[in-house]
Amino acid sequence: MSIFVNNKTRLLVQGITGREGGFHAEQCLTYGTNVVAGVTPGKGGHIVAGKIPVFESVHQAVNETGANVSLIFVPAPFAQDAMLEAVDAGIELIICIAEGVPILDSAKTLNFISKQGARLLGPNCPGIISPAERCKVGIMPGYIHLPGTVGVVSRSGTLSYEAVSQLTALDIGQSTCVGIGGDPLIGTDFVDVLKLFNQDPETELIVLIGEIGGNMEQDAARYIKEYVTKPVAAFIAGATAPTGKRMGHAGAIITGSDGTAAEKKSALETAGVVIIPSPGEIGITVKNMID
Amino acid sequence: MSIFVNNKTRLLVQGITGREGGFHAEQCLTYGTNVVAGVTPGKGGHIVAGKIPVFESVHQAVNETGANVSLIFVPAPFAQDAMLEAVDAGIELIICIAEGVPILDSAKTLNFISKQGARLLGPNCPGIISPAERCKVGIMPGYIHLPGTVGVVSRSGTLSYEAVSQLTALDIGQSTCVGIGGDPLIGTDFVDVLKLFNQDPETELIVLIGEIGGNMEQDAARYIKEYVTKPVAAFIAGATAPTGKRMGHAGAIITGSDGTAAEKKSALETAGVVIIPSPGEIGITVKNMID
Amino acid sequence: MRFSARGNVIKIHEYQAKELMSRYGIQIPEGDTASDPEQTALLISHLGPPTIVKAQIHAGGRGIGGGIKFANSPEEGRGIAEGLIGSHLITNQTGAQGAIVHKLLVEKTVAIKREMYLACVIDRSSQGPLLIVSPTGGMDIEKIAATQPEKILRVPIDLGAGFQPYQSRNICRFLNLDPKFIRAIFDLMTSVCGLFIENDCSLVEINPLVLDERDCLIALDAKIDFDDDALFRHMRLSNFRDASQQEELERQATEAGVAYVKLDGTVGCLVNGAGLAMATMDLAHGVGAEPANFLDVGGSATIEKIAAAVKIMLSDTNVTIILVNIFGGILRCDILAEGIVKAFRDIGSTLPLVVRMSGTNVEAGTRILFESKLDVSFASTLRELEGILSAKYA
Amino acid sequence: MRFSARGNVIKIHEYQAKELMSRYGIQIPEGDTASDPEQTALLISHLGPPTIVKAQIHAGGRGIGGGIKFANSPEEGRGIAEGLIGSHLITNQTGAQGAIVHKLLVEKTVAIKREMYLACVIDRSSQGPLLIVSPTGGMDIEKIAATQPEKILRVPIDLGAGFQPYQSRNICRFLNLDPKFIRAIFDLMTSVCGLFIENDCSLVEINPLVLDERDCLIALDAKIDFDDDALFRHMRLSNFRDASQQEELERQATEAGVAYVKLDGTVGCLVNGAGLAMATMDLAHGVGAEPANFLDVGGSATIEKIAAAVKIMLSDTNVTIILVNIFGGILRCDILAEGIVKAFRDIGSTLPLVVRMSGTNVEAGTRILFESKLDVSFASTLRELEGILSAKYA
């Protein structure tokens, strides 16, 4: 089992003929993902990676290939259009990699999505991977993953790769790894993912990787306290970041009292979460919890 | 049992100090409805009908009285504001009596409502009544109703009163009577109501009253054919209306082939619905079906 | 024609619709209006022939009705104008009396490469504006829908996000237009949606939308209807009103604020509620009594409004009997009765009435009518009403 | 200060924010800007004292820092201007170097009846703009949130329907304003929402919003931040750019398109991904090695962009060591390595590097660095990195 994606995933890649889109579509394919179609307006009829047909529109791609998940690589200014096109064409799960999507575009997209009943992951996220299903829908390096029972959810892409590497190095496999993205407005948050991990019979332990800014970790803490029956370990990045400065991620700016790493750690600790003290100790902390 | 409203309904009346609002709030109260609050900005602190407290805002009314259903009597140009205020304050079921709500206002309201998970009945509808629950939330004359097992759903207000009178005159009682409204954009349609009547253990037979314009009756026919296990009788008004002219209801205009009474009757007949030939024969048709 | 129980109907001419479109950046043919033959000739010489001369009336079917003609010279235009201006143009939508022509729209002809169809309406299923496009222009869209449904693309517009680039690409592909038009289609659709939403329209139609030889998209014909219920926030639209284009009784009804549609029968129908009104007409028709009108007095009617409605019915000389069918909800029967009595007294009419009232304050209403000494037959049910009418028309 | 990985940051002055607000119909105090003492004096005599003189810098805390002063005469104003213009104003938000003052905003003082707070931001839970209002004006809103949360009202705006009249009534009641202000509040909030949405703002703040003696609502102070990611569709905002207000290295980073925040330590940190960058800083701090900067080179970095980022780090004279922590996803390790080598060669730097790379094309990247002959210590895990750093700083 896995959450969000599995061997029934029929992946469409929007922006497949771009540099990043083409590279990562092939990487997903190589990993084992069932990449059924690509879309780039003006490039309909092309073939990518020797076998992925390119269509003019998402509607066409869905009609011809039954694609049900879309991975979006178009540049940020065009991401809203691509996301809405995917929703309109009936795609159930949309994963938007693009960094720098205007926040009002995200707001409009999320409003439309909530009306239509689809799910968005991101924007500004690395995607999802389920090693046991050989299904990689995103830009994470596939080879670092190992099938197993730890669910990983993170706001940060590279920090989640770091976490996975440490787990795999200790022979601790992952059920599903979900990057929810670093923007202040995202389609799927910690609570959404925690809910699914908690229900997923294959997930036995959850690693949550948060950072400064916003209050999503506090929401997660409340949810964990009330509903989550599985052990959770958490690392929060940004303990040394100065107040009032924006640390790259649009979501990572500390405003007032409710965004500091200390406050988040304390909320999670109160909810019974094991706090990982240093970024180098993610793997070892989980290992100690399992042993 | 009943659908939508029952003895747990705690009714709020928006626009309660207006002529219509005041009159009908009292009528609802007299019938037995639990009218717990009214709202009219600028009239907070007043008392209507000797016992209904008036509040400045829906938020206040909900906080103080636990109101969960709202009946809206404000003039059409202010209806959008009133509906959105009710949704925002957490009201679950909103019944908008106002006739003449601009259609884009309805569209914006429905978009907001679908995001928030509330339900709207109307606009331009007479409301709902459940005789056995002594719960009347609308402008229909209460005394014509009789507790029983026939569910009535209608696009037209007065025509539904006519239907109920005929049923009651033959001693056939009603489970719930729902007026969905005559506007082209409404919050709750035939299919929504049919679904609930079909599930309601107290409803044994359904009377559907449609009219020319749009294709809601055809949608209902499709739904009945596939899902509804209870007998349905239908009357469609407007067989003699000329094409291309709007018959009062904004929704009642025949355009092209898909809005005529003949087409609607034929669709319903194909779905196994008993067609009521004349508006004077609603009661007798149902009686014959029961006997 | 469309009517509103609120009595605030604005219909506009083609030239006014084009003017509004032009303000939103939609391209229209070069042209102007003329109100007399001299002006017409002058305009043609100014524009340079060939030109097209289009009678401005509030009804369709003008082409077949002779209201649209080519003028290859100012002289020819003068002749056309002499024939049209002041005449009553009869089309398949005007009725036998026709519609009077006061103004002509004179336009330079367009070199047409392709004709397409474009409209914006409100859609029930997507709960917002819906664009309708078809590669088949110049035809009645309902005819296309009936015979070639695959030639119609429906594009819902999200009110929060607006028209999107991908929709433009889809439309272009559907219309079989070169991808170089994606931007032009995007701009056009954005304009149409903006016009529709900002002016509370109920219909914006461009039929045909043409591609001319310079590859411009042009609104060759234009039709805009407004949502009567939203006119309160577009008061300047009142300037568009053209009373000369409205049937007299319907114009009076508009002023009185009741929904009224004149028909060809003899039974004046006074009903509250559109559904019950239609059902009552159906019932009359069923016993061979043809309705003279649809009339819905609406919910919150006053004595004056009822009286005005009754007077409108009574001034239709075809009417020989008044059928009243009222189920009082918001409308109270006593107010209704007083309105009827007032109208009959004011006019001094002696026409017979068949009255069926029910609901709020029915006893008071019945007493008022009973004491009025008008020629009233009372029915307590619809079947009784049917019986009385049936007896009279047997 | 806010930074963007896209390098397109626009911050604007108070006077520019007020100008923009004024265009949306929001009332601002009467006034204008002055760039020298003479202009200041002239402006004051023109406006008529008493006036207020406000230094225009891209940082808050000006009041306590001495950047806001009353001038009761043109002469007094000239004196204030002489002291301020050209000086570096130090506030609690500028850092020790201060911010240079080029312009003053001179305004007529307002007779204040009440001070309130108003802001618009994006809200995660309602997924759209959120108005924040408080009857307590002139204070830091975070302080109010912490100490008197009941004094803050949060009003979410639906992007489809816009600001609603009922919200205006609720705000008026919350602010304890007379109902006669409902319309003025409605207009003000509608303007703020329009300004926020149409210009892709990330913050619109009026603090204090004052009620003056004529019962007008006036934006006494104003702050507007923009969504860096949306600047591509607001190119005219570039005119607002004021390079003099930005720290030099951060300005260079903006130009290079990398997210960089200068800090006070000695360890230059080059990382991809904001989360990993913050974690790397946390790790350095943990072993007593203070980071000299936050630097996220982002996903799709080119050799040139990496080189520019490294050069910016190297030109910080506090830096004694470069820490590289890369987990290649979209970013490929070979490109990163080439960028680093290019920067070190171009500058001729010999500083030591501690490098931990992982992910896409890591072998190629390692080879490039290995063959470069730079002083590189390689770590294969974060714990190894921690160990090397710990040894150097022990």
Side-chain angles (χ1 to χ4, degrees), chain B:
Chain B
M1 271 278 300
S2 59
I3 67 170
F4 291 122
V5 294
N6 52 45
N7 55 23
K8 291 193 184 62
T9 295
R10 299 179 63 79
L11 185 65
L12 161 73
V13 177
Q14 287 177 260
I16 197 169
T17 61
R19 199 165 55 96
E20 305 303 341
F23 178 78
H24 286 290
E26 193 154 358
Q27 294 281 311
C28 291
L29 197 64
T30 307
Y31 189 77
T33 313
N34 189 14
V35 186
V36 298
V39 165
T40 300
K43 299 274 174 71
H46 288 220
I47 298 288
V48 167
K51 59 180 283 195
I52 310 171
V54 180
F55 296 89
E56 283 289 316
S57 75
V58 179
H59 288 80
Q60 287 180 341
V62 168
N63 285 344
E64 307 260 332
T65 69
N68 55 11
V69 174
S70 179
L71 184 61
I72 297 183
F73 281 101
V74 306
F78 309 111
Q80 168 180 297
D81 185 47
M83 292 188 280
L84 293 181
E85 180 175 6
V87 179
D88 194 359
I91 295 284
E92 298 152 20
L93 173 65
I94 295 145
I95 298 164
C96 184
I97 305 297
E99 185 185 357
V101 177
I103 197 154
L104 275 171
D105 289 7
S106 294
K108 287 172 185 168
T109 304
L110 287 172
N111 273 272
F112 186 68
I113 282 178
S114 72
K115 227 172 50 178
Q116 306 285 325
R119 175 176 289 284
L120 173 68
L121 191 70
N124 190 13
C125 81
I128 313 178
I129 184 167
S130 276
E133 304 273 333
R134 295 308 290 172
C135 189
K136 165 172 130 80
V137 182
I139 59 171
M140 64 291 288
Y143 70 92
I144 60 172
H145 298 81
L146 185 74
T149 59
V150 174
V152 178
V153 57
S154 171
R155 276 169 78 182
S156 157
T158 46
L159 194 49
S160 71
Y161 312 159
E162 178 61 43
V164 168
S165 298
Q166 291 182 25
L167 292 170
T168 296
L170 295 171
D171 220 27
I172 302 169
Q174 305 90 42
S175 54
T176 307
C177 303
V178 185
I180 59 172
D183 277 6
L185 272 198
I186 50 178
T188 299
D189 62 16
F190 279 138
V191 169
D192 297 324
V193 180
L194 286 169
K195 194 179 290 181
L196 291 171
F197 273 147
N198 199 37
Q199 292 163 357
D200 176 29
E202 185 154 319
T203 301
E204 292 173 4
L205 187 148
I206 302 164
V207 173
L208 181 151
I209 298 173
E211 59 189 40
I212 54 167
N215 51 10
M216 218 187 296
E217 289 80 1
Q218 290 90 320
D219 291 347
R222 268 188 294 277
Y223 187 81
I224 290 167
K225 195 168 187 178
E226 191 151 0
Y227 301 105
V228 177
T229 55
K230 301 177 182 179
V232 182
F235 175 74
I236 305 295
T240 55
T243 308
K245 297 235 175 194
R246 169 172 156 181
M247 297 291 125
H249 276 177
I253 181 169
I254 304 177
T255 52
S257 59
D258 71 342
T260 64
E263 198 202 331
K264 289 171 187 236
K265 285 179 192 170
S266 134
L268 287 163
E269 207 151 24
T270 307
V273 172
V274 176
I275 303 301
I276 299 166
S278 151
E281 293 170 30
I282 300 171
I284 193 72
T285 305
V286 172
K287 190 168 170 45
N288 290 339
M289 286 169 77
I290 295 174
D291 292 346

Side-chain angles (χ1 to χ4, degrees), chain D residues 47-366:
Chain D
L47 290 168
T51 57
I52 187 162
V53 178
K54 306 173 88 174
Q56 299 296 290
I57 57 168
H58 283 177
R62 292 173 301 168
I64 299 162
I68 299 180
K69 294 185 167 162
F70 286 94
N72 283 307
S73 68
E75 294 65 38
E76 196 180 349
R78 184 183 289 115
I80 292 168
E82 278 164 357
L84 282 174
I85 294 175
S87 77
H88 282 74
L89 190 65
I90 299 166
T91 80
N92 57 357
Q93 293 184 21
T94 57
Q97 77 283 12
I100 189 157
V101 180
H102 285 307
K103 268 203 167 110
L104 304 176
L105 174 61
V106 183
E107 293 179 335
K108 217 167 147 55
T109 54
V110 173
I112 299 172
K113 257 161 79 174
R114 282 194 52 193
E115 290 192 314
M116 297 163 286
Y117 177 90
L118 169 62
C120 189
V121 295
I122 287 281
D123 178 45
R124 183 168 66 89
S125 68
S126 62
Q127 300 187 331
L130 177 79
L131 290 169
I132 299 172
V133 294
S134 171
T136 307
M139 271 175 70
D140 191 356
I141 190 69
E142 272 114 14
K143 198 171 280 174
I144 301 174
T147 59
Q148 303 171 280
E150 75 288 355
K151 287 267 176 77
I152 289 178
L153 181 69
R154 302 159 70 88
V155 182
I157 306 305
D158 181 66
L159 283 168
F163 186 77
Q164 296 295 313
Y166 80 87
Q167 298 178 312
S168 180
R169 297 194 296 271
N170 288 349
I171 289 172
C172 247
R173 196 158 37 245
F174 186 78
L175 293 176
N176 205 17
L177 283 172
D178 189 274
K180 74 178 177 188
F181 290 105
I182 289 172
R183 183 57 199 243
I185 287 287
F186 181 82
D187 291 344
L188 174 63
M189 299 298 161
T190 303
S191 294
V192 167
C193 293
L195 166 61
F196 187 92
I197 292 166
E198 287 165 25
N199 294 280
D200 278 294
C201 297
S202 59
L203 172 74
V204 172
E205 188 180 53
I206 301 178
N207 185 23
L209 168 70
V210 305
L211 187 67
D212 77 358
E213 288 187 337
R214 299 161 302 139
D215 277 349
C216 291
L217 291 163
I218 296 174
L220 203 61
D221 199 354
K223 186 166 190 289
I224 297 179
D225 287 342
F226 299 98
D227 176 4
D228 309 339
D229 295 326
L231 284 177
F232 67 89
R233 57 189 173 208
H234 303 286
M235 289 321 289
R236 70 194 157 63
L237 289 177
S238 309
N239 302 331
F240 283 146
R241 197 187 288 272
D242 183 351
S244 78
Q245 295 295 315
Q246 204 176 358
E247 210 280 329
E248 178 55 23
L249 291 183
E250 291 178 349
R251 196 191 58 69
Q252 288 175 20
T254 298
E255 267 175 25
V258 297
Y260 173 84
V261 180
K262 186 172 162 9
L263 302 168
D264 298 327
T266 56
V267 183
C269 297
L270 176 73
V271 193
N272 69 323
L276 192 59
M278 287 188 281
T280 307
M281 288 158 61
D282 293 348
L283 178 142
H285 175 81
V287 299
E290 290 306 323
N293 60 270
F294 165 93
L295 197 160
D296 170 14
V297 293
S300 58
T302 60
I303 295 173
E304 287 65 36
K305 187 169 159 185
I306 303 284
V310 174
K311 286 178 191 173
I312 288 163
M313 280 198 298
L314 290 175
S315 52
D316 177 351
T317 50
N318 291 338
V319 170
T320 57
I321 187 168
I322 299 288
L323 187 61
V324 176
N325 187 14
I326 295 295
F327 217 119
I330 280 191
L331 174 63
R332 308 185 202 167
C333 295
D334 53 338
I335 286 174
L336 177 98
E338 288 192 34
I340 293 172
V341 172
K342 181 174 180 351
F344 269 73
R345 289 209 177 124
D346 286 358
I347 285 189
S349 171
T350 57
L351 284 187
L353 289 130
V354 184
V355 174
R356 188 284 185 120
M357 292 193 303
S358 223
T360 315
N361 296 0
V362 61
E363 299 80 8
T366 308

Side-chain angles (χ1 to χ4, degrees), chain C residues 38 160 166 213 295 336 376:
Chain C
E38 202 44 52
Y166 80 86
E213 286 187 339
L295 198 161
L336 177 97
V376 182

